Amino acid sequence: DVKVTQSSRYLVKRTGEKVFLECVQDMDHENMFWYRQDPGLGLRLIYFSYDVKMKEKGDIPEGYSVSREKKERFSLILESASTNQTSMYLCASSPRVRRGVPDTQYFGPGTRLTVL
Amino acid sequence: TQLLEQSPQFLSIQEGENLTVYCNSSSVFSSLQWYRQEPGEGPVLLVTVVTGGEVKKLKRLTFQFGDARKDSSLHITAAQPGDTGLYLCAGDQTGTASKLTFGTGTRLQVTL
């Protein structure tokens, strides 16, 4: 079974703090993703990575950065947390597409971040 | 701008009823997936459709991809409490098959 784990289920931080969210997958997947989930907006892609040290901006990258130093680990960084970054953050991984058809994205359980 | 709009946003029904959830866009998608998310968990893939007009069945769930590949529907027959959850459609617009655009979500509650 594919397992995607996230470092925290719940996190409370103060405005201006630097926040690290960690994601680890155990299936040797090439692709990893960070989304935020807000009611009525579905999932919005923040950043994704298709290889170690490679990253691409998603739809809402402002205020976020990422790091992928090892294949199994993808970190999301909030350089200076703000209240509008209060949200559910979901990490996902998937294997590299080989036939032009999307494979399954496997999701972690999410981290609910509250910024006060 | 949200590329994939789902309707309805909320649905509360009784066990045994039928329902349909819609996923609509003005853009063409190379393929489309449906996920279900239960409380406290991440989304889990239900199905992938890739051909316009394609219909796939998963027990009591029927998925259809529109002929023009701009929309999709999910029909549940005889809903059960175990179907409760957030249903999300996700489309591949870029054709890269690695980056998905998720829909706005439909929250379904099935009561006894």
Side-chain angles (χ1 to χ4, degrees):
Chain A
D1 268 357
V2 175
K3 193 162 185 182
V4 179
T5 55
Q6 295 185 229
S7 50
S8 304
R9 293 298 293 263
Y10 300 93
L11 209 52
V12 180
K13 295 292 181 180
R14 297 206 175 272
T15 300
E17 281 193 78
K18 192 168 185 176
V19 182
F20 293 88
L21 301 182
E22 301 282 333
C23 175
V24 178
Q25 51 97 0
D26 66 358
M27 281 301 291
D28 202 36
H29 286 166
E30 289 83 2
N31 300 326
M32 295 189 76
F33 308 84
W34 274 107
Y35 295 91
R36 65 176 283 176
Q37 182 174 28
D38 301 288
L41 297 178
L43 272 66
R44 293 180 291 166
L45 183 64
I46 305 172
Y47 269 97
F48 70 101
S49 169
Y50 50 89
D51 205 345
V52 175
K53 298 191 185 293
M54 305 301 288
K55 61 184 179 184
E56 284 198 24
K57 293 180 180 179
D59 300 315
I60 52 165
E62 297 78 17
Y64 304 95
S65 62
V66 291
S67 173
R68 192 159 179 208
E69 296 296 318
K70 292 185 178 181
K71 191 175 186 179
E72 68 271 17
R73 189 179 298 269
F74 193 34
S75 303
L76 179 68
I77 304 149
L78 286 66
E79 294 289 342
S80 178
S82 63
T83 55
N84 62 14
Q85 291 178 310
T86 291
S87 188
M88 172 69 82
Y89 290 87
L90 289 165
C91 174
S93 72
S94 71
R96 177 165 293 144
V97 173
R98 291 175 173 83
R99 295 168 296 162
V101 177
D103 210 317
T104 304
Q105 286 198 13
Y106 296 88
F107 285 84
T111 296
R112 184 163 294 282
L113 172 67
T114 301
V115 183
L116 302 175
Chain B
T1 303
Q2 189 63 253
L3 293 178
L4 278 171
E5 296 286 341
Q6 289 185 234
S7 62
Q9 190 173 1
F10 299 100
L11 196 53
S12 182
I13 61 172
Q14 290 190 319
E15 183 180 18
E17 292 186 38
N18 301 330
L19 67 115
T20 302
V21 176
Y22 299 94
C23 173
N24 294 299
S25 174
S26 56
S27 304
V28 174
F29 288 90
S30 304
S31 60
L32 198 133
Q33 297 181 320
W34 284 91
Y35 288 79
R36 180 171 66 210
Q37 184 179 20
E38 298 183 11
E41 303 294 331
V44 175
L45 180 70
L46 296 174
V47 77
T48 300
V49 286
V50 298
T51 306
E54 182 176 2
V55 176
K56 278 193 174 178
K57 292 193 175 183
L58 187 66
K59 296 183 180 178
R60 296 175 292 100
L61 278 61
T62 302
F63 305 85
Q64 184 161 10
F65 200 11
D67 291 339
R69 292 186 286 123
K70 292 183 178 181
D71 56 84
S72 181
S73 64
L74 157 60
H75 182 79
I76 301 179
T77 303
Q80 298 178 0
D83 295 326
T84 294
L86 178 69
Y87 288 82
L88 294 158
C89 61
D92 169 25
Q93 192 185 25
T94 62
T96 63
S98 57
K99 182 184 168 189
L100 299 176
T101 298
F102 277 81
T104 50
T106 294
R107 189 165 295 281
L108 170 66
Q109 181 165 14
V110 182
T111 56
L112 293 170

Short mmCIF file of all heavy atoms in Angstrom, two decimals, chain B residues 61-88:
data_model
loop_
_atom_site.label_atom_id
_atom_site.label_comp_id
_atom_site.label_asym_id
_atom_site.label_seq_id
_atom_site.Cartn_x
_atom_site.Cartn_y
_atom_site.Cartn_z
N LEU B 61 -21.99 3.16 -8.56
CA LEU B 61 -21.57 4.47 -9.07
C LEU B 61 -21.35 4.38 -10.58
O LEU B 61 -20.68 3.47 -11.06
CB LEU B 61 -20.26 4.91 -8.39
CG LEU B 61 -20.34 5.55 -7.01
CD1 LEU B 61 -20.95 4.62 -5.98
CD2 LEU B 61 -18.98 6.02 -6.57
N THR B 62 -21.93 5.34 -11.32
CA THR B 62 -21.75 5.40 -12.77
C THR B 62 -21.14 6.76 -13.12
O THR B 62 -21.68 7.80 -12.74
CB THR B 62 -23.08 5.23 -13.51
OG1 THR B 62 -23.66 3.98 -13.14
CG2 THR B 62 -22.88 5.27 -15.01
N PHE B 63 -20.04 6.72 -13.84
CA PHE B 63 -19.32 7.93 -14.23
C PHE B 63 -19.41 8.09 -15.75
O PHE B 63 -19.27 7.12 -16.48
CB PHE B 63 -17.83 7.82 -13.84
CG PHE B 63 -17.61 7.53 -12.38
CD1 PHE B 63 -17.64 6.23 -11.91
CD2 PHE B 63 -17.37 8.57 -11.49
CE1 PHE B 63 -17.44 5.95 -10.57
CE2 PHE B 63 -17.15 8.31 -10.15
CZ PHE B 63 -17.19 7.00 -9.69
N GLN B 64 -19.62 9.32 -16.17
CA GLN B 64 -19.68 9.59 -17.61
C GLN B 64 -18.82 10.81 -17.93
O GLN B 64 -18.84 11.82 -17.21
CB GLN B 64 -21.11 9.83 -18.05
CG GLN B 64 -21.25 10.03 -19.56
CD GLN B 64 -22.65 9.80 -20.06
OE1 GLN B 64 -23.59 9.68 -19.28
NE2 GLN B 64 -22.81 9.74 -21.36
N PHE B 65 -18.08 10.71 -19.01
CA PHE B 65 -17.29 11.82 -19.53
C PHE B 65 -18.04 12.39 -20.72
O PHE B 65 -18.46 11.63 -21.59
CB PHE B 65 -15.91 11.31 -19.96
CG PHE B 65 -14.83 12.34 -20.07
CD1 PHE B 65 -14.98 13.62 -19.59
CD2 PHE B 65 -13.61 12.01 -20.66
CE1 PHE B 65 -13.97 14.56 -19.67
CE2 PHE B 65 -12.57 12.93 -20.74
CZ PHE B 65 -12.75 14.21 -20.25
N GLY B 66 -18.26 13.69 -20.77
CA GLY B 66 -19.01 14.29 -21.85
C GLY B 66 -18.36 14.08 -23.21
O GLY B 66 -17.14 13.92 -23.30
N ASP B 67 -19.19 14.10 -24.24
CA ASP B 67 -18.69 13.86 -25.60
C ASP B 67 -17.59 14.85 -25.99
O ASP B 67 -16.63 14.49 -26.67
CB ASP B 67 -19.84 13.96 -26.61
CG ASP B 67 -20.84 12.83 -26.48
OD1 ASP B 67 -20.45 11.78 -25.91
OD2 ASP B 67 -21.99 12.98 -26.94
N ALA B 68 -17.76 16.09 -25.56
CA ALA B 68 -16.78 17.12 -25.90
C ALA B 68 -15.65 17.21 -24.89
O ALA B 68 -14.78 18.09 -25.01
CB ALA B 68 -17.48 18.48 -26.01
N ARG B 69 -15.65 16.34 -23.90
CA ARG B 69 -14.62 16.29 -22.84
C ARG B 69 -14.51 17.60 -22.08
O ARG B 69 -13.43 18.01 -21.65
CB ARG B 69 -13.27 15.86 -23.42
CG ARG B 69 -13.27 14.41 -23.88
CD ARG B 69 -11.91 13.92 -24.30
NE ARG B 69 -11.53 14.46 -25.59
CZ ARG B 69 -10.44 15.17 -25.81
NH1 ARG B 69 -9.61 15.44 -24.84
NH2 ARG B 69 -10.17 15.62 -27.01
N LYS B 70 -15.68 18.25 -21.88
CA LYS B 70 -15.71 19.47 -21.06
C LYS B 70 -16.47 19.25 -19.77
O LYS B 70 -16.49 20.13 -18.92
CB LYS B 70 -16.39 20.60 -21.83
CG LYS B 70 -15.61 21.11 -23.03
CD LYS B 70 -16.37 22.28 -23.66
CE LYS B 70 -15.60 22.85 -24.83
NZ LYS B 70 -16.32 24.01 -25.43
N ASP B 71 -17.12 18.12 -19.62
CA ASP B 71 -17.93 17.91 -18.44
C ASP B 71 -18.00 16.42 -18.10
O ASP B 71 -17.67 15.55 -18.92
CB ASP B 71 -19.35 18.46 -18.66
CG ASP B 71 -20.01 17.86 -19.88
OD1 ASP B 71 -20.58 16.75 -19.76
OD2 ASP B 71 -19.94 18.48 -20.95
N SER B 72 -18.46 16.16 -16.88
CA SER B 72 -18.57 14.79 -16.42
C SER B 72 -19.69 14.72 -15.39
O SER B 72 -20.06 15.74 -14.78
CB SER B 72 -17.25 14.33 -15.79
OG SER B 72 -17.33 12.99 -15.36
N SER B 73 -20.20 13.53 -15.18
CA SER B 73 -21.22 13.33 -14.16
C SER B 73 -20.94 12.05 -13.40
O SER B 73 -20.32 11.11 -13.90
CB SER B 73 -22.62 13.29 -14.78
OG SER B 73 -22.74 12.19 -15.63
N LEU B 74 -21.42 12.06 -12.16
CA LEU B 74 -21.34 10.90 -11.28
C LEU B 74 -22.74 10.61 -10.80
O LEU B 74 -23.37 11.47 -10.18
CB LEU B 74 -20.41 11.21 -10.10
CG LEU B 74 -20.58 10.38 -8.82
CD1 LEU B 74 -20.36 8.91 -9.09
CD2 LEU B 74 -19.64 10.89 -7.73
N HIS B 75 -23.24 9.41 -11.08
CA HIS B 75 -24.58 9.03 -10.65
C HIS B 75 -24.45 7.90 -9.64
O HIS B 75 -23.73 6.93 -9.87
CB HIS B 75 -25.42 8.56 -11.85
CG HIS B 75 -26.81 8.19 -11.49
ND1 HIS B 75 -27.80 9.13 -11.28
CD2 HIS B 75 -27.38 6.97 -11.28
CE1 HIS B 75 -28.93 8.51 -10.96
NE2 HIS B 75 -28.71 7.22 -10.96
N ILE B 76 -25.11 8.07 -8.50
CA ILE B 76 -25.12 7.03 -7.47
C ILE B 76 -26.54 6.48 -7.36
O ILE B 76 -27.51 7.24 -7.17
CB ILE B 76 -24.65 7.56 -6.11
CG1 ILE B 76 -23.22 8.12 -6.23
CG2 ILE B 76 -24.70 6.45 -5.06
CD1 ILE B 76 -22.68 8.69 -4.92
N THR B 77 -26.66 5.18 -7.47
CA THR B 77 -27.94 4.49 -7.35
C THR B 77 -28.09 3.93 -5.95
O THR B 77 -27.14 3.34 -5.41
CB THR B 77 -28.03 3.35 -8.37
OG1 THR B 77 -27.81 3.89 -9.68
CG2 THR B 77 -29.37 2.67 -8.32
N ALA B 78 -29.24 4.13 -5.39
CA ALA B 78 -29.54 3.57 -4.05
C ALA B 78 -28.45 3.92 -3.05
O ALA B 78 -27.77 3.03 -2.52
CB ALA B 78 -29.76 2.07 -4.14
N ALA B 79 -28.30 5.20 -2.79
CA ALA B 79 -27.22 5.68 -1.92
C ALA B 79 -27.27 5.04 -0.54
O ALA B 79 -28.35 4.72 -0.01
CB ALA B 79 -27.30 7.20 -1.80
N GLN B 80 -26.08 4.85 0.02
CA GLN B 80 -25.93 4.27 1.34
C GLN B 80 -25.13 5.22 2.23
O GLN B 80 -24.37 6.04 1.72
CB GLN B 80 -25.23 2.91 1.23
CG GLN B 80 -26.01 1.89 0.42
CD GLN B 80 -25.27 0.57 0.29
OE1 GLN B 80 -24.17 0.40 0.79
NE2 GLN B 80 -25.89 -0.37 -0.42
N PRO B 81 -25.26 5.11 3.55
CA PRO B 81 -24.50 5.99 4.44
C PRO B 81 -23.01 5.96 4.17
O PRO B 81 -22.31 6.96 4.34
CB PRO B 81 -24.85 5.45 5.83
CG PRO B 81 -26.21 4.89 5.68
CD PRO B 81 -26.23 4.28 4.29
N GLY B 82 -22.49 4.84 3.71
CA GLY B 82 -21.07 4.73 3.39
C GLY B 82 -20.64 5.57 2.20
O GLY B 82 -19.44 5.74 1.95
N ASP B 83 -21.61 6.10 1.45
CA ASP B 83 -21.28 6.98 0.31
C ASP B 83 -21.03 8.42 0.77
O ASP B 83 -20.61 9.26 -0.03
CB ASP B 83 -22.43 6.99 -0.70
CG ASP B 83 -22.66 5.64 -1.35
OD1 ASP B 83 -21.67 4.90 -1.56
OD2 ASP B 83 -23.83 5.31 -1.63
N THR B 84 -21.31 8.69 2.02
CA THR B 84 -21.11 10.04 2.56
C THR B 84 -19.67 10.49 2.39
O THR B 84 -18.74 9.72 2.66
CB THR B 84 -21.49 10.08 4.05
OG1 THR B 84 -22.91 9.86 4.17
CG2 THR B 84 -21.14 11.41 4.69
N GLY B 85 -19.49 11.72 1.95
CA GLY B 85 -18.14 12.25 1.77
C GLY B 85 -18.13 13.43 0.83
O GLY B 85 -19.18 13.88 0.37
N LEU B 86 -16.95 13.91 0.55
CA LEU B 86 -16.75 15.02 -0.40
C LEU B 86 -16.29 14.41 -1.72
O LEU B 86 -15.28 13.71 -1.76
CB LEU B 86 -15.70 15.99 0.14
CG LEU B 86 -15.35 17.18 -0.76
CD1 LEU B 86 -16.54 18.14 -0.85
CD2 LEU B 86 -14.13 17.92 -0.22
N TYR B 87 -17.03 14.69 -2.78
CA TYR B 87 -16.69 14.17 -4.11
C TYR B 87 -16.03 15.28 -4.91
O TYR B 87 -16.56 16.39 -5.03
CB TYR B 87 -17.95 13.64 -4.81
CG TYR B 87 -18.44 12.36 -4.19
CD1 TYR B 87 -19.21 12.38 -3.04
CD2 TYR B 87 -18.10 11.13 -4.75
CE1 TYR B 87 -19.63 11.21 -2.44
CE2 TYR B 87 -18.52 9.94 -4.16
CZ TYR B 87 -19.28 9.99 -3.01
OH TYR B 87 -19.69 8.82 -2.42
N LEU B 88 -14.88 14.95 -5.48
CA LEU B 88 -14.10 15.92 -6.23
C LEU B 88 -13.80 15.39 -7.62
O LEU B 88 -13.32 14.26 -7.77
CB LEU B 88 -12.76 16.18 -5.51
CG LEU B 88 -12.82 16.86 -4.16
CD1 LEU B 88 -11.58 16.57 -3.35
CD2 LEU B 88 -13.00 18.37 -4.32
#
